Amino acid sequence: MSSSYLARQGSTIGKRAMGGAKEPSKATESPPPTIGDIQAALGKRLDDVAKILAGALVAVAGIMTTLGLNSKFVFVALNNRAWPIYVASLCAIISIVCSIAALLIRPTGRGVLWETGVLVLGVIFYMASLSIAVVGAAQAAGGNGRPTITDVRLEGPSSGMRLHFGVHADGVQKWSHIEVSVNPKKPSGNEGADLYWSVLRPDDQGKVAQQIDIPISPPAGTSVIAVGAVNSDESSPGACEAKTQHGPACTELHIS
């Protein structure tokens, strides 16, 4: 055989070998997630939300502390207007119950739906507890506009007596005022004309803090000097011993 024939045969065999070679198969693709996998992943996310809601009371307390609502202001709030604190606590407890119930639900098809509904309900109560705690406690801790009379003193001789006292009130509405009056009383119980009368307006924070120092000359026969302070929008004058949260403040000084 000639060398040219052998070369042609080798070329033909090489082409056949190349033509018959198969390309390597592509990497096997991962199978699509099943419904069970999707439900399990969704259930895990819902469980994370439930764990967050489980700290509802801690979150409410943290928000109140951040805003400066410490134990002192909380006690003031409970004394003046307790229902926001109680409602906020109840909402937080319901939120915790919803979160615990959601954690106990199995992540099946129907279970995921139930878990979602329970957590939505828990989120609603969670947000309600935060809102009521912040707004309600802030308003209640600011005071209720009830005045108090402090540091009452009657000094000096009969010919030049001076009456000194302080008036304090928190949470007075900006359009409201505190009326202060000083009246003489005789042994018969009759009241004379006002020895002093004034209207005190609150500052921008709703606070009234006034120290009053006035000369006083009670008429003859006066045995008692009555000092009164009342929030005109909350109560009526004269109801000093009325069992009401917004009653006036009254003080009497007995003189000889």
Side-chain angles (χ1 to χ4, degrees), residues 150-175:
T150 60
D151 193 21
V152 183
R153 299 194 308 269
L154 189 60
E155 301 174 340
S158 301
S159 58
M161 286 192 300
R162 299 190 67 87
L163 177 63
H164 176 87
F165 62 93
V167 179
H168 182 86
D170 291 321
V172 181
Q173 300 296 329
K174 59 183 179 181
W175 56 80

Side-chain angles (χ1 to χ4, degrees), residues 69-76:
L69 298 175
N70 54 26
S71 59
K72 174 183 177 181
F73 289 105
V74 171
F75 289 143
V76 174

Side-chain angles (χ1 to χ4, degrees), residues 60-111:
V60 170
I63 291 294
M64 294 172 66
T65 303
T66 302
L67 295 177
L69 298 175
N70 54 26
S71 59
K72 174 183 177 181
F73 289 105
V74 171
F75 289 143
V76 174
L78 291 174
N79 182 59
N80 292 340
R81 190 179 301 170
W83 71 264
I85 303 297
Y86 293 141
V87 173
S89 300
L90 178 61
C91 290
I93 292 173
I94 295 176
S95 177
I96 293 175
V97 172
C98 291
S99 66
I100 295 175
L103 288 172
L104 297 177
I105 297 176
R106 296 183 61 184
T108 60
R110 186 180 296 273

Side-chain angles (χ1 to χ4, degrees), residues 14-74:
K15 290 180 179 180
R16 290 176 180 176
M18 292 178 64
K22 295 183 179 179
E23 296 181 356
S25 60
K26 297 182 179 179
T28 305
E29 297 181 355
S30 58
T34 63
I35 296 178
D37 295 336
I38 296 175
Q39 291 176 351
L42 182 58
K44 184 179 182 302
R45 294 180 181 179
L46 294 176
D47 289 345
D48 294 338
V49 176
K51 293 176 182 178
I52 294 174
L53 293 180
L57 284 177
V58 177
V60 170
I63 291 294
M64 294 172 66
T65 303
T66 302
L67 295 177
L69 298 175
N70 54 26
S71 59
K72 174 183 177 181
F73 289 105
V74 171

